Each structure stands twice: as structure tokens, then as C-alpha cells.
Amino acid sequence: MAGTEISEMLGDALAQNGDVSEIALHIWEGIAERDPNNGRIRSHLGAAHKTRGANSEAIAWYREAARLLPEDFTVLLECARLVMDNTADAAEAVRLLKVAVQLPDGDRHVDAHVLLGEALTAVEKREDAKKVLRKVVEDLDPGHTKSILMLAKLNLRYEQDSVAMAEHLYARALEQDPDNPETYRRLAELYRDEGETRLEQAALEKFLQLSSADVDQYRQLADMYMRRADWERAENALRQIVALGKADKKTYSLLGEVLHARNRVA
């Protein structure tokens, strides 16, 4: 048996349950240096460095693996994920994922299509992104809430006449997952843009009920209450920001204005 094959087997044996030892890592690096065309070892190294949080090294190894294994779905997907999460090069992720979703393992892989939709949006290929996301929600996984929300946002942001479509998609997202705070946050943004203050309030309050404390949303809620002269609720929202330790000079100034207004109408 060739020395390289023995070394690979030894490295694999030392890498149990995803826990790659320093010895296994050293063996794989030695194989990679001796064999510049060994994509499998490079994918192992990419995965090992990703597990250790060394993302720059992981990306470098996965890029080499993707070049050497252009029909390996897992390698292409993992490389694209790392690129999207750690670099500004969404175009590279698009290139990798367009190939990945055409492979047998990728044709119906929901996560790969969703990531492609995100990457296409990042490079402003909006119509292409919508096409990919529609495939997810109409074919691959009709209940995929994240894709429904992404598609709604694309309609809102890029098509002036698509507010009704966005509302329909948000309603569909709530049917699938009525306790998803992100849907209510986005609904609040929609109603704010539309000037629907009461609906904005209801959506914001539901968001805060379902999610962990969100300072930005408390600020938005306080602003909305102040616009409606609902001073008691405005005070409560501002005091939540203070309680979270996130109050700045502007917060205290607004709180002073609210207290003054409450005293004036008392």
C-alpha cells in the first residue's frame, strides 16, 4: 500500500467524531503538501479548521478542495457558507452555489437554495434571488419560514407595487410559524412605512412579547407612542431601555420630555 494511502488511513483513524487531533492535522497537512491534487485531504483540513474557528484557514483549504472536486456538493456548499459568513465576496458564493444546486445532491437541498438566494440578493441579482426562493416555497419546502420572509422582503424593497404580495407572504409565514418574532418585526416595518400606526404598534408589541429584549424596537415603540401622545406607554418603553442598561443621552432627554408631557396633561 502506498505511503500516502497509509497516512490518509492513519489521519482518518485519529479523527474520531469530528474531533481532529493535532497529530491528524499534521498528517493531513503533510499529505496536502506532498500531493497538490488531493482534494479529499483539503476538504478534511477545511472542516478541521472550521471546527477550530480558524475560518480564514478553512476557507483557503475549502477553496482548493472546490477547485479539485468541482462535483462534490458538500465541499461546494461548505465553501460557500464560509465565504458568505466571513468575507464580502458574495459573488464567489454565487458561483459555487450555482454549480452545487445543479448536482444530484443539491437539486432539492433547501439550505443550498436558501443560501444561493441570500448570495444573489447580496450581489443585487434580485430577480434571480426571487426565482430561487420561489422554488423553495413553491416546491422544495412550502413551510420554510425564512424563505417566505426573504421573498416578502424582496418584494417590498424592490417592487413598488408589491406591498400586497409582501403582506400575503407575511400572513403565510405566520400560518407556518405563528410564534416567530422576526415576522412581527418585519410586519412592524411594513406598517410603519405604510403609516398604519395601530397595526405597527400591535406588531411591535407582539415582537417584544416573543423575543428577547430588543433595544431598537423599544426605541421605535417609544417613538410611536409619543407620536400618538400615549405618554404612559412611551414612558414604559423608555424605562425598558434604561433597565437594559442601554440608555444614552437621547434616551434620557426623551424620557424627560415624556414626563413633562404627562405632568402637563395630569
Side-chain angles (χ1 to χ4, degrees):
M1 183 177 294
T4 296
E5 293 177 345
I6 294 173
S7 295
E8 285 192 35
M9 291 174 61
L10 179 59
D12 291 348
L14 291 168
Q16 297 296 323
N17 300 319
D19 184 15
V20 179
S21 69
E22 289 292 337
I23 297 174
L25 200 64
H26 179 72
I27 290 172
W28 286 341
E29 287 174 346
I31 296 171
E33 184 176 354
R34 293 192 301 273
D35 185 356
N37 295 317
N38 193 323
R40 177 176 172 275
I41 286 299
R42 282 160 172 77
S43 70
H44 284 352
L45 285 164
H49 283 290
K50 179 183 177 182
T51 300
R52 292 167 177 237
N55 293 324
S56 295
E57 290 85 350
I59 290 172
W61 285 116
Y62 266 122
R63 279 172 171 160
E64 290 191 24
R67 176 177 57 81
L68 294 166
L69 303 171
E71 296 187 358
D72 188 312
F73 169 74
T74 300
V75 167
L76 297 178
L77 178 60
E78 288 304 312
C79 188
R81 279 177 173 157
L82 282 164
V83 168
M84 282 292 290
D85 290 342
N86 298 279
T87 79
D89 193 355
E92 180 183 4
V94 169
R95 178 178 59 79
L96 292 165
L97 290 164
K98 279 187 172 180
V99 176
V101 298
Q102 297 298 319
L103 296 171
D105 288 341
D107 180 58
R108 302 194 63 79
H109 195 285
V110 173
D111 288 348
H113 283 81
V114 174
L115 190 60
L116 178 56
E118 291 177 341
L120 287 165
T121 302
V123 297
E124 298 189 354
K125 298 290 186 180
R126 300 155 190 166
E127 291 303 318
D128 290 343
K130 287 163 62 177
K131 181 179 179 181
V132 171
L133 292 171
R134 279 197 295 266
K135 178 178 179 179
V136 175
V137 303
E138 294 174 2
D139 180 22
L140 301 183
D141 185 357
H144 197 267
T145 303
K146 181 178 180 180
S147 295
I148 295 170
L149 293 177
M150 288 170 61
L151 193 55
K153 185 175 182 180
L154 282 168
N155 275 280
L156 270 179
R157 186 174 178 184
Y158 302 123
E159 294 184 7
Q160 295 300 315
D161 299 326
S162 293
V163 172
M165 174 58 72
E167 290 178 328
H168 168 74
L169 289 165
Y170 286 140
R172 179 173 169 182
L174 289 176
E175 287 178 5
Q176 299 295 332
D177 187 0
D179 294 327
N180 185 347
E182 179 65 13
T183 305
Y184 290 100
R185 184 186 70 78
R186 296 194 184 192
L187 272 171
E189 293 176 353
L190 168 62
Y191 293 138
R192 183 182 180 88
D193 290 341
E194 293 296 296
E196 297 284 356
T197 308
R198 292 187 181 278
L199 293 174
E200 177 192 358
Q201 175 183 329
L204 273 175
E205 290 173 342
K206 189 66 174 179
F207 168 81
L208 291 168
Q209 176 186 334
L210 293 171
S211 66
S212 56
D214 187 293
V215 172
D216 288 338
Q217 299 305 319
Y218 276 122
R219 287 196 178 100
Q220 186 176 336
L221 200 57
D223 174 70
M224 183 188 59
Y225 288 141
M226 290 176 70
R227 284 187 274 122
R228 296 181 59 187
D230 189 340
W231 307 116
E232 181 178 356
R233 289 184 176 180
E235 179 186 348
N236 290 337
L238 291 168
R239 289 195 183 280
Q240 288 289 342
I241 299 173
V242 174
L244 291 168
K246 300 293 185 178
D248 54 14
K249 184 176 180 180
K250 183 177 180 181
T251 302
Y252 286 110
S253 176
L254 289 173
L255 184 56
E257 291 179 25
V258 168
L259 292 173
H260 178 72
R262 286 196 68 181
N263 291 332
R264 190 173 63 242
V265 300

